Amino acid sequence: MATIKDVAREAGVSTATVSRVINKSPKAGKASTIAVQTAMKKLGYRPNINARALVSKSSNTIGVLVSDIADPFFSAMIKAADQVARDNNKHLLIGSGYHNAESERDAIELLINSCREHLIVHSKALSSEELIAFAKEVPGFVLINRFIPEIANRCIAFDNFKGAYIATEFLIKNGHKHIAYINSNHNIDDASERKAGYLKALEDHQLSYPPDYIVEQESNDEGGKMGMIELLSKSIPITAVLTYNDFMAAGVLTALEENNIAVPEKISLVGFDNGLISRYVHPKLTTINYPIEIMAKQATQLSFKLAKQEEQLAKHNIFSPTLVKRASVSRHQDKK
């Protein structure tokens, strides 16, 4: 027996769109309606009471998709969005995608069923085409930390390339020529853009290294520790390290401490994100500020404007990184 997911797959739409067609919602587009009705007829699908109940008359919720709710970065994003939501008498409904396309897709479809007007999405695994399709279904759809030209007015993004470039150049200007980079092993834009920024800064300052200076690990403290141990095992000259995020930097500090390598006296260190942990490790961490709280608030406010069909942003909004100088970097002097 065919299910609502079978119909969605056959029609090339989401289950939320199928639900709208079943319930004769005015938000179901003509093309989607024809595709769904054709799929239902082909598969012999008959809607049941549960399918009809997926769309209700009103909703006071805002859907928020993050990669991992346990990650402090996303906790900060959720808290900021919740502040704006409460000011507008709304409540958050949260889903996690874990950098997995199927998980992100399922979570978004579930959120759409309950949050038909407002949806803030942090998606790294889904294709641009799928996200554009979802944006057409949800009036207040906003994409955070990603830029898609076709829906530029719905994007709140961050310049990851520039952030890594600034961090690397800061180390270079402090005399460092042997700079390693510990990147995330997730196949996402953030990782590739930050790596590109690191490499471009080296290139612009006529510095180049073999691949041994770049390692990839899980983007947490354990990954940072393992990445630093991997670099140390190669016996290559390193005077500074840049990490994908602050948690990886915390792991690097642990690995260096266990090997009696002082920071910043022997190796300087720069993180990324300016998370809470950066202020409490020792030494306090020089890092790149990622204004996720401001971005999340703006994304939530934009969602309300879009849903009300108020004036939209004329251009996409890409936030710029800034360097936060603390105690984990010192000037390197070449031995003569």
Side-chain angles (χ1 to χ4, degrees):
M1 181 179 295
T3 67
I4 192 170
K5 285 191 174 182
D6 295 328
V7 174
R9 190 179 301 109
E10 177 68 26
V13 299
S14 70
T15 55
T17 296
V18 177
S19 299
R20 288 192 179 89
V21 173
I22 291 171
N23 288 274
K24 296 181 170 49
S25 169
K27 294 180 181 178
K30 184 176 180 180
S32 296
T33 299
I34 293 173
V36 170
Q37 289 174 341
T38 301
M40 289 169 60
K41 184 175 180 180
K42 178 180 177 180
L43 299 175
Y45 176 78
R46 292 182 179 277
N48 55 34
I49 295 175
N50 290 333
R52 293 181 182 277
L54 285 173
V55 178
S56 59
K57 291 183 179 180
S58 62
S59 173
N60 66 341
T61 57
I62 298 176
V64 178
L65 175 71
V66 297
S67 292
D68 184 354
I69 194 172
D71 188 324
F73 177 86
F74 293 109
S75 297
M77 172 183 157
I78 290 169
K79 182 176 180 180
D82 187 53
Q83 290 175 352
V84 178
R86 288 180 178 274
D87 289 342
N88 289 271
N89 298 314
K90 300 281 187 178
H91 299 280
L92 298 189
L93 190 60
I94 303 162
S96 294
Y98 302 105
H99 297 303
N100 176 275
E102 185 176 356
S103 297
E104 287 184 354
R105 186 182 302 111
D106 289 345
I108 288 175
E109 289 181 344
L110 286 171
L111 289 170
I112 289 177
N113 287 334
S114 297
C115 314
R116 295 173 311 287
E117 294 186 341
H118 305 287
L119 186 57
I120 299 165
V121 172
H122 186 286
S123 169
K124 294 298 182 179
L126 287 179
S127 68
S128 295
E129 290 73 20
E130 283 192 89
L131 292 170
I132 291 169
F134 280 127
K136 291 178 180 178
E137 293 184 34
V138 182
F141 180 99
V142 177
L143 188 62
I144 191 168
N145 194 23
R146 183 168 171 179
F147 173 65
I148 299 176
E150 291 84 351
I151 53 172
N153 66 314
R154 295 173 178 266
C155 296
I156 303 293
F158 179 76
D159 196 337
N160 285 288
F161 175 95
K162 185 178 180 182
Y165 188 101
I166 290 172
T168 307
E169 187 172 59
F170 177 68
L171 290 168
I172 294 171
K173 288 182 176 179
N174 274 276
H176 295 277
K177 297 180 180 179
H178 298 86
I179 305 167
Y181 178 49
I182 304 178
N183 198 15
S184 167
N185 61 7
H186 290 294
N187 184 25
I188 58 176
D189 291 343
D190 298 47
S192 60
E193 290 168 1
R194 293 179 193 183
K195 179 180 175 181
Y198 157 81
L199 292 173
K200 181 61 175 172
L202 297 180
E203 178 187 337
D204 287 352
H205 290 269
Q206 293 76 52
L207 297 173
S208 61
Y209 299 112
D212 283 348
Y213 277 81
I214 301 175
V215 298
E216 296 182 350
Q217 291 285 345
E218 287 291 326
S219 55
N220 53 33
D221 57 334
E222 186 62 24
K225 179 180 179 180
M226 295 303 298
M228 192 67 239
I229 291 172
E230 181 179 344
L231 288 170
L232 292 174
S233 71
K234 296 177 181 180
S235 298
I236 54 179
I238 297 173
T239 65
V241 177
L242 171 65
T243 62
Y244 173 79
N245 64 21
D246 294 337
F247 280 94
M248 296 189 87
V252 169
L253 285 171
T254 299
L256 293 175
E257 181 181 5
E258 290 177 355
N259 286 275
N260 297 313
I261 300 173
V263 176
E265 291 81 3
K266 295 295 184 180
I267 291 182
S268 289
L269 178 64
V270 179
F272 206 109
D273 286 346
N274 194 28
L276 187 63
I277 193 173
S278 66
R279 284 162 268 175
Y280 292 101
V281 294
H282 181 76
K284 293 182 179 180
L285 186 64
T286 294
T287 185
I288 294 295
N289 185 54
Y290 192 125
I292 188 59
E293 294 93 345
I294 297 173
M295 292 169 65
K297 288 180 179 180
Q298 184 162 318
T300 311
Q301 291 164 349
L302 177 59
S303 178
F304 284 114
K305 291 181 180 180
L306 290 167
K308 294 177 181 178
Q309 297 184 333
E310 295 181 1
E311 184 178 353
Q312 301 175 9
L313 294 177
K315 298 180 180 179
H316 60 276
N317 196 346
I318 299 181
F319 281 74
S320 292
T322 54
L323 182 72
V324 180
K325 298 178 184 179
R326 296 196 179 101
S328 63
V329 174
S330 65
R331 183 160 188 83
H332 177 73
Q333 299 290 344
D334 285 328
K335 294 181 180 180
K336 297 182 179 180

